[in-house]
Amino acid sequence: ILTDLLFPKYRYWAVAFPAYAMMLIIFVCVMYTSLNYIVTIPPNSWNSLCGEVFTYFISFLCSFVWF
């Protein structure tokens, strides 16, 4: 009883700190995923199928084809 009278705020932080920590972890995970979606090219983009190496390879193969 004496500790409740002397330290009443620690009971609040015993519940509040884990709640804030969990919300911070969830917020960081959501923001990380959201930022990755923002910087990623769309799935229907030609660059998602063919990168720089593939384009070089196709131009190399087409150099041997005589139209």
Side-chain angles (χ1 to χ4, degrees):
I1 293 180
L2 185 60
T3 57
D4 288 341
L5 294 175
L6 294 176
F7 307 109
K9 61 183 176 181
Y10 291 125
R11 196 172 3 166
Y12 168 75
W13 284 109
V15 175
F17 181 74
Y20 285 137
M22 288 293 291
M23 289 307 295
L24 178 66
I25 291 171
I26 291 171
F27 176 75
V28 167
C29 290
V30 167
M31 288 304 296
Y32 179 74
T33 306
S34 301
L35 290 175
N36 278 325
Y37 277 128
I38 289 171
V39 298
T40 305
I41 56 175
N44 60 352
S45 173
W46 180 253
N47 291 330
S48 65
L49 299 174
C50 307
E52 180 180 328
V53 176
F54 183 75
T55 307
Y56 175 74
F57 179 70
I58 290 298
S59 64
F60 177 74
L61 286 180
C62 289
S63 65
F64 293 111
V65 177
W66 297 32
F67 291 105

